[in-house]
Amino acid sequence: MISSPSDPPTAVAATTVTETVLGERCWGPRAALVDAGSGRVLSYDELTAAVTAAAWGLVRQGPGTVIGLQAPDGPDFVVAAYAVWAAGAVLVPVRAAAGAEETVRRLRASGAHALITCPQAAPRAWAVARGAALQRMWCLGEADGGTGLEPFARLAEEPAADRIPPVRDAGAALLADAPGGSGPGTWLTHRQVIEGLVRFATAGALSGSDVVLSGIPFTDVLGLNGVLGPALWLGATVVTCRGGLHDLLRAVQDHRVTVAVLPPAAASALAAEPAVGHYDLGSLRSVLVAGPLPGRLARACSRRLGCPVRQVYGHPAASGFTHLNLRGAEEGTLDSAGCGLPGVSWRIADPATGRARPPYQPGELWLRGPMVAAPGGGWLPTGDAAFTDEHDRVYILGRMEETPGEPVADPGRLLAAHPAVRDAAVVPVPDPHLGLAPHAFVVLGKPEQAGGLLPYVNGHVPSYQRIQAVHPVDAIPRSPSGRVMRRALLQSVHLSP
């Protein structure tokens, strides 16, 4: 399946992410950032002023073109990130909890010249500086123990212009980590980052009146440019929260969060968390889950939280989110990531040949578009297994298990090639727990030969392609073009289509 939505014109000038998010739009005294742990609040005026002053300080200091940022989510992280971009430098986010070895490896791979660190990571900063051959280091906040690190706040002490530094022909903006932390990562340009955040901001999941909480860290592109960037561009309030489920629930209650963006593990945990009933979550209007979540868990989470739970999909090399399911509850497709955003082209491909797979046949999700970093503007293989239905809705199955270049096994073809089977087809069947589940339908040479077919096929395909049941039928109904007539097939065994 290939989908190439119409690409609406977007006003993406040759400017920086910071200029697009904070320089072109003015939200004044409205709260931009709220730190749930400390209660610290930054208005849009204060955020823009802090970013502008720090950016001019970075321009004066000339720290180089690539700057690492290692800090937990919070106002300081946001100010530093947007100051780096405003100065025309390239941002390399590093997990706050990363040890010295991991930090050095990421900074060396990126060619970073400088590092903005935090008090928690300050004790190992000099070891990191030696290992990564850094030229400059700054610390957000106060570092204990006399580390000798230069305070980041000092960059803003000298008088600065009252506007964000002008940057012509902005190039690379961000080193996006590879999924799962494997591989060297992907360089994203300012234009790609802007394209990604603006398209998701205008997709209808968020609005300027929302209070948004991200359960995805800002060191992840999905948190930084899938949640933070679009929310700030719209003028929403972003609540940062560190800690476990109880801290998240308390932040939603205390700050009247309206939209929470969570990883699948957090949504699954909330579906069964007894403490949910002890918090007032009435402000929530939507939960977005950034990854595959079975329909039964989405429904359970929705009942517990009292609001719709919708799935989104994104990829670091695609500058954030590319798919959104706004109507999952109405359409009964809670386990789907929905359709591609405007301007996002995608296909479910056979990874060995690149050929598009038909509906309901699993393959690898490939992406293309102005927000996607792929050689020559071509297709980006995501490494995620998926299939699509006849309405171009995408269902994410998980990470591909095969080695690169190995073709995806087809359970339908495996069954058709079995000596006991004359014809076979695999189609999705409505399931109360899974939403849709793959079932096989076979025409047998002899009725008594059906017994071993289920373990046979599931033993020859990866886990994400395993089928739930095998149904013997007299014939596989097909159209004149050879396409399986799904409704007639399900009705022949008294299953609801």
Side-chain angles (χ1 to χ4, degrees):
M1 172 64 65
I2 303 175
S3 180
S4 301
S6 59
D7 191 356
T10 54
V12 178
T15 184
T16 64
V17 178
T18 304
E19 181 68 29
T20 298
V21 174
L22 299 177
E24 298 176 356
R25 306 163 78 83
C26 181
W27 306 109
R30 184 186 303 179
L33 300 166
V34 178
D35 184 65
S38 66
R40 180 184 175 193
V41 179
L42 276 186
S43 70
Y44 275 90
D45 280 343
E46 292 168 330
L47 173 62
T48 303
V51 167
T52 301
W56 281 108
L58 288 173
V59 170
R60 286 192 296 267
Q61 296 294 326
T65 57
V66 183
I67 303 176
L69 174 55
Q70 185 174 30
D73 290 357
D76 287 337
F77 181 101
V78 179
V79 169
Y82 277 81
V84 168
W85 281 332
V90 183
L91 179 67
V92 181
V94 182
R95 293 188 312 114
E101 183 178 346
E102 178 185 338
T103 305
V104 168
R105 184 168 58 249
R106 181 153 172 79
L107 295 178
R108 286 182 66 89
S110 67
H113 301 82
L115 173 66
I116 303 169
T117 189
C118 60
Q120 298 95 309
R124 53 185 181 272
W126 290 109
V128 169
R130 290 190 296 271
L134 300 177
Q135 300 171 11
R136 298 295 299 271
M137 284 193 300
W138 295 273
C139 184
L140 298 167
E142 297 295 330
D144 297 328
T147 59
L149 295 175
E150 183 178 352
F152 184 76
R154 191 171 296 170
L155 290 170
E157 289 181 351
E158 296 183 27
D162 59 358
R163 69 180 304 274
I164 294 168
V167 176
R168 294 182 179 179
D169 302 322
L174 174 66
L175 179 61
D177 209 354
S182 60
T186 302
W187 296 102
L188 300 174
T189 66
H190 280 268
R191 182 181 182 88
Q192 287 164 340
V193 173
I194 294 168
E195 289 275 6
L197 76 87
V198 171
R199 288 172 192 275
F200 187 69
T202 55
L206 306 176
S207 74
S209 60
D210 277 317
V211 179
V212 182
L213 183 147
S214 177
I216 306 171
F218 295 156
T219 51
D220 186 319
V221 173
L222 299 187
L224 180 64
N225 206 51
V227 183
L228 177 66
L232 294 179
W233 187 82
L234 288 166
T237 298
V238 178
V239 176
T240 59
C241 175
R242 301 182 294 276
L245 286 179
H246 287 260
D247 299 290
L248 186 150
L249 291 168
R250 189 175 299 109
V252 172
Q253 172 185 269
D254 294 349
H255 299 286
R256 310 309 296 160
V257 170
T258 59
V259 178
V261 186
L262 306 176
S268 299
L270 287 173
E273 174 57 56
V276 168
H278 300 307
Y279 295 89
D280 177 8
L281 308 179
S283 60
L284 273 176
R285 71 171 183 85
S286 178
V287 169
L288 303 179
V289 181
L293 186 71
R296 59 182 177 82
L297 288 178
R299 284 188 290 272
C301 187
S302 178
R303 287 193 298 267
R304 294 287 288 165
L305 301 180
C307 68
V309 173
R310 302 179 170 99
Q311 194 177 137
V312 293
Y313 172 82
H315 192 278
S319 308
F321 295 126
T322 60
H323 289 70
L324 169 64
N325 188 359
L326 280 178
R327 296 182 54 81
E330 296 86 344
E331 297 173 346
T333 57
L334 290 174
D335 50 346
S336 169
C339 299
L341 299 180
V344 176
S345 296
W346 57 269
R347 66 166 55 173
I348 305 299
D350 182 329
T353 65
R355 294 175 181 170
R357 305 280 285 171
Y360 301 109
Q361 293 299 310
E364 184 178 15
L365 177 61
W366 289 11
L367 300 172
R368 186 172 65 185
M371 72 296 296
V372 176
W379 290 103
L380 170 73
T382 65
D384 290 314
F387 71 91
T388 181
D389 62 19
E390 66 270 26
H391 300 292
D392 285 351
R393 291 181 290 244
V394 171
Y395 296 77
I396 305 298
L397 300 169
R399 297 293 291 168
M400 298 287 292
E401 294 181 359
E402 291 75 24
T403 56
E406 181 178 339
V408 178
D410 186 329
R413 291 182 182 177
L414 280 172
L415 284 168
H418 193 281
V421 177
R422 294 180 177 175
D423 196 4
V426 175
V427 301
V429 174
D431 185 280
H433 301 296
L434 301 176
L436 288 173
H439 286 222
F441 298 80
V442 295
V443 178
L444 297 170
K446 296 181 180 179
E448 64 271 13
Q449 295 176 322
L453 292 179
L454 184 61
Y456 163 77
V457 67
N458 284 344
H460 288 80
V461 297
S463 60
Y464 65 83
Q465 283 188 275
R466 290 174 184 163
I467 61 177
Q468 299 296 310
V470 174
H471 305 277
V473 295
D474 295 330
I476 306 292
R478 287 186 167 87
S479 67
S481 64
R483 183 171 181 175
V484 174
M485 300 171 68
R486 175 173 171 264
R487 181 179 294 272
L489 182 59
L490 296 185
Q491 289 175 345
S492 72
V493 293
H494 308 292
L495 290 173
S496 172

